[in-house]
Amino acid sequence: MDADAASFANRVLNWYQRYGRHDLPWQRQDAYRVWLSEIMLQQTQVGTVIPYYQNFIKRFPNIKQLADADIDEVLQHWQGLGYYARARNLHQAARIVRDQHKGRFPQSFDAVAALPGVGRSTAGAILSFAFDQRWPILDGNVKRVLARCFRVPGWYGQSDTMKQLWYLAESVTPAEQAPDFNQAMMDIGSMVCLKSKPKCEACPLKEICSSYRHHSQAEYPQKKPARVKPHKHTLMLLHRHADQVLLWRRPPSGIWGGLWSLPEVDAEPAIELWQQSFLSMTQLPNKIQESVIRHQFTHYSLDISLAIIEMEQLPHKIFDQDNYVWVGIEALGDHGLPTPVRKLLASLQD
Ligand code: SF4
């Protein structure tokens, strides 16, 4: 490690002693808990994650219990955290650990990085926090600190930029105390080097930060040129009979994969099934609410309209019983539902 890198690491470690976070519920815990927290923390802030983490650990206290659980129950405990692919990958990875690693969390980088949902940075974080190994990490907060400190050109979607950021992360990570260093870098990113208005006066890196010296903090990290978000529209069908509603399980891939939702007329295979097996039994919608909810995804926004179909009687046979179910309003909480659908159903009960 050269002198600049050593100075960088010392500043970060000294700051961590005084100001860093030392009492997060997953710190100094086993690999299962560290791994779970790292997956939950992808795209989600610490404050939001803590109650979900605690609730999840209460129900699935170890990797075996998670692996043996039904995916529906896992998704239900993930409900509200978003990015549900994370929960499906977590569940799948728990089964891999159970079946291929004798239930013990692997300790080699290649084996950890091969688990579904675990990328290079997450693998480094797990190995460093759970097994005290020296691996660099590069989550969103660390990327921002490094991009500003070294004025790294380009945006994160560019491979040259990522290569340079990984090179820097690798260079500044010390041989000793890698877990403290990694935690400190995440803390500096989330507490000091904020996206807008970084608190440079309180930053341990200000004497060596190139953006600070050049008053160019706002220019780094450089942004991807903006693109207008496309706008989509869908019509959801609320079949209602007394206090029961019809839920449809979404396909495993795609948005809200595997979660329970309402049948949609533009979603295959729901429309096809609906037309073939069900339409003849239903009345025409007696109420359509236009654009009742707008939901923002990363790449597009979605307007959801709702057609309410009051049914006088339940159909005798239910087609495709695995993926359609009648549920009493009071039991909706037992099913993993996407947040906008849950809000939509809740608003009808008001
Ligand atoms: S000095 Fe400012 S811009 Fe540089 S790393 Fe610290 S907080 Fe970020």
Side-chain angles (χ1 to χ4, degrees):
M1 178 180 264
D2 66 23
D4 288 348
S7 153
F8 187 105
N10 285 337
R11 287 165 189 275
V12 169
L13 285 167
N14 288 337
W15 177 89
Y16 182 67
Q17 290 311 319
R18 285 188 66 185
Y19 304 107
R21 288 189 268 215
H22 297 265
D23 51 3
L24 296 169
W26 45 82
Q27 285 179 310
R28 290 169 295 283
Q29 300 289 328
D30 63 18
Y32 168 61
R33 284 158 201 247
V34 169
W35 165 54
L36 172 64
S37 70
E38 286 302 321
I39 301 297
M40 286 188 162
L41 287 165
Q42 291 168 353
Q43 285 117 351
T44 314
Q45 294 191 341
V46 167
T48 308
V49 163
I50 288 176
Y52 280 95
Y53 169 86
Q54 286 167 331
N55 197 25
F56 201 92
I57 284 293
K58 211 188 265 174
R59 169 59 190 89
F60 309 107
N62 55 50
I63 210 158
K64 183 171 184 314
Q65 301 222 20
L66 175 60
D68 292 346
D70 192 274
I71 181 64
D72 270 347
E73 206 188 344
V74 177
L75 288 168
Q76 193 192 328
H77 280 74
W78 205 270
Q79 190 174 289
L81 259 186
Y83 300 99
Y84 293 90
R86 294 184 296 175
R88 286 193 302 278
N89 284 332
L90 195 76
H91 185 240
Q92 210 186 330
R95 293 190 163 181
I96 292 174
V97 173
R98 180 192 65 189
D99 301 339
Q100 296 176 19
H101 299 283
K102 300 189 176 125
R104 294 170 70 92
F105 204 90
Q107 298 194 27
S108 81
F109 184 88
D110 289 347
V112 175
L115 295 173
V118 178
R120 181 174 172 185
S121 180
T122 303
I126 296 168
L127 290 169
S128 130
F129 293 136
F131 302 116
D132 201 12
Q133 296 182 18
R134 179 194 176 275
W135 291 100
I137 60 167
L138 199 54
D139 74 350
N141 285 320
V142 179
K143 276 189 231 170
R144 188 168 57 255
V145 175
L146 293 174
R148 282 182 178 155
C149 216
F150 297 96
R151 291 202 297 160
V152 176
W155 45 278
Y156 301 151
Q158 294 178 302
S159 65
D160 281 356
T161 305
M162 287 308 293
K163 230 185 251 172
Q164 197 177 344
L165 287 169
W166 271 115
Y167 171 78
L168 289 166
E170 176 72 49
S171 316
V172 296
T173 305
E176 305 286 328
Q177 290 182 271
D180 284 357
F181 178 83
N182 284 341
Q183 182 64 50
M185 286 294 283
M186 294 196 287
D187 290 351
I188 291 171
S190 65
M191 296 158 66
V192 183
C193 193
L194 306 178
K195 270 188 197 160
S196 57
K197 300 200 185 136
K199 300 174 179 173
C200 298
E201 291 312 319
C203 180
L205 297 168
K206 74 176 178 192
E207 285 87 2
I208 56 174
C209 175
S210 184
S211 289
Y212 181 73
R213 196 161 54 243
H214 291 90
H215 307 288
S216 60
Q217 297 94 322
E219 290 161 38
Y220 296 91
Q222 293 180 346
K223 290 190 183 51
K224 182 183 176 181
R227 246 190 23 190
V228 180
K229 248 194 197 183
H231 203 62
K232 297 188 185 178
H233 185 255
T234 190
L235 177 65
M236 290 192 173
L237 307 172
L238 177 69
H239 296 82
R240 192 155 62 177
H241 170 73
D243 69 339
Q244 305 216 66
V245 298
L246 182 70
L247 295 184
W248 166 59
R249 192 208 302 267
R250 303 186 62 94
S253 58
I255 61 159
W256 303 324
L259 290 189
W260 290 95
S261 183
L262 297 173
E264 280 178 49
V265 291
D266 63 349
E268 298 295 343
I271 177 61
E272 212 178 301
L273 279 167
W274 191 66
Q275 283 170 339
Q276 283 170 8
S277 328
F278 209 50
L279 191 57
S280 56
M281 289 181 261
T282 58
Q283 307 140 8
L284 287 174
N286 45 18
K287 205 157 121 198
I288 294 193
Q289 298 181 1
E290 272 302 321
S291 299
V292 285
I293 281 200
R294 174 167 293 184
H295 186 69
Q296 299 292 345
F297 290 101
T298 322
H299 301 299
Y300 63 93
S301 61
L302 179 70
D303 280 354
I304 304 172
S305 301
L306 186 69
I308 299 178
I309 303 153
E310 301 288 0
M311 302 186 66
E312 277 161 22
Q313 56 184 42
L314 286 181
H316 296 304
K317 66 174 179 133
I318 295 239
F319 52 88
D320 191 9
Q321 298 202 358
D322 287 345
N323 293 313
Y324 286 85
V325 66
W326 285 98
V327 176
I329 301 269
E330 76 294 339
L332 284 172
D334 299 340
H335 291 71
L337 300 170
T339 302
V341 176
R342 190 156 36 83
K343 278 191 199 151
L344 206 111
L345 290 170
S347 72
L348 294 172
Q349 292 170 50
D350 292 344

